[in-house]
């Protein structure tokens, strides 16, 4: 168990705290814990790369932590009414589709390599930026317009592009299965 993996596990444990803060209307707490989670993501990545502490466990845990954080925040903000529900459905559906594709690949004994594309990385940045802006606006009482609309548009474009690329790659990968 390396230091980056411990930090990543800590980030996963922050998820329920952020969700609790959002549903309890403690937006300052939600924003502060979200910042801590974001900083921890940067720190664990830096430590893993800089000090050669990468591991298979870390390669699985880090995206899991990111997904748990973003999906939970989007769902909580959607339920709270702070963001449109359609964007919540879009973000959550993308992740469900990708996880389902990975599971199906394993079931057919054809595991697919999970290497995030540039579009997927841009998608994560846009999702984090949008969530951070919404949480900051709620915490500090300012109007996020027009930046919220711009970021929501970027989240939409990158989410649709990312899931399309993943599904096309997955279909190509799975099309090599021979019928019995």
């Amino acid at each position: 168990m390396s230091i980056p993996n411990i930090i990543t596990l800590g980030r996963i444990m922050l998820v329920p705290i952020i969700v609790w803060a959002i549903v309890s209307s403690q937006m300052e707490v939600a924003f502060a814990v979200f910042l801590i989670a974001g900083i921890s993501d940067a720190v664990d990545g830096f430590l893993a790369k800089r000090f050669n502490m990468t591991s298979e466990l870390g390669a699985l845990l880090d995206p899991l932590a990111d997904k748990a954080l973003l999906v939970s925040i989007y769902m909580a903000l959607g339920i709270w009414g702070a963001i449109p529900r359609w964007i919540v459905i879009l973000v959550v559906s993308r992740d469900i589709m990708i996880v389902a594709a990975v599971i199906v690949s394993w079931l057919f004994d054809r595991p697919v390599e999970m290497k995030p594309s540039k579009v997927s990385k841009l998608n994560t940045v846009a999702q984090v930026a949008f969530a951070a802006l919404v949480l900051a606006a709620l915490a500090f009482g300012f109007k996020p317009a027009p930046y919220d609309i711009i970021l929501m548009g970027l989240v939409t474009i990158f989410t649709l592009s990312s899931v399309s690329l993943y599904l096309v790659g997955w279909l190509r990968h799975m099309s090599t299965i021979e019928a019995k």
Side-chain angles (χ1 to χ4, degrees):
M1 186 58 77
S2 67
I3 293 171
N5 290 348
I6 292 169
I7 293 170
T8 301
L9 287 171
R11 188 164 72 253
I12 292 170
M13 292 189 299
L14 292 177
V15 170
I17 296 169
I18 295 172
V19 171
W20 166 83
I22 292 170
V23 299
S24 301
S25 299
Q26 302 293 319
M27 295 305 173
E28 297 89 354
V29 173
F31 181 71
V33 176
F34 183 72
L35 281 180
I36 292 167
I39 292 167
S40 77
D41 189 22
V43 169
D44 74 46
F46 170 78
L47 290 175
K49 289 178 185 138
R50 176 75 167 95
F51 297 104
N52 198 24
M53 297 174 146
T54 57
S55 67
E56 281 188 49
L57 179 61
L60 291 172
L61 281 180
D62 192 62
L64 175 67
D66 292 343
K67 297 300 167 220
L69 181 67
L70 288 171
V71 166
S72 297
I73 287 174
Y74 273 72
M75 289 180 66
L77 288 172
I79 291 167
W80 204 75
I83 61 174
R85 291 200 174 125
W86 66 264
I87 196 97
V88 175
I89 293 166
L90 181 65
V91 167
V92 173
S93 295
R94 172 199 175 266
D95 289 339
I96 289 171
M97 282 188 258
I98 291 171
V99 169
V102 168
I103 291 169
V104 168
S105 299
W106 285 343
L107 291 174
F108 280 92
D109 200 26
R110 301 276 306 159
V112 64
E113 183 182 349
M114 291 303 297
K115 186 177 180 195
S117 66
K118 288 182 182 179
V119 172
S120 181
K121 290 178 182 181
L122 289 170
N123 182 46
T124 300
V125 169
Q127 287 181 5
V128 167
F130 180 59
L133 178 66
V134 171
L135 285 172
L138 293 168
F140 304 111
F142 66 87
K143 298 272 186 211
Y147 306 107
D148 59 338
I149 301 299
I150 293 167
L151 286 172
M152 205 169 12
L154 290 173
V155 167
T156 302
I157 291 166
F158 290 138
T159 299
L160 291 172
S161 299
S162 173
V163 75
S164 298
L165 289 172
Y166 271 122
L167 289 178
V168 166
W170 180 79
L171 287 170
R172 282 187 186 137
H173 175 77
M174 294 303 287
S175 69
T176 61
I177 295 175
E178 293 181 20
K180 291 184 180 185

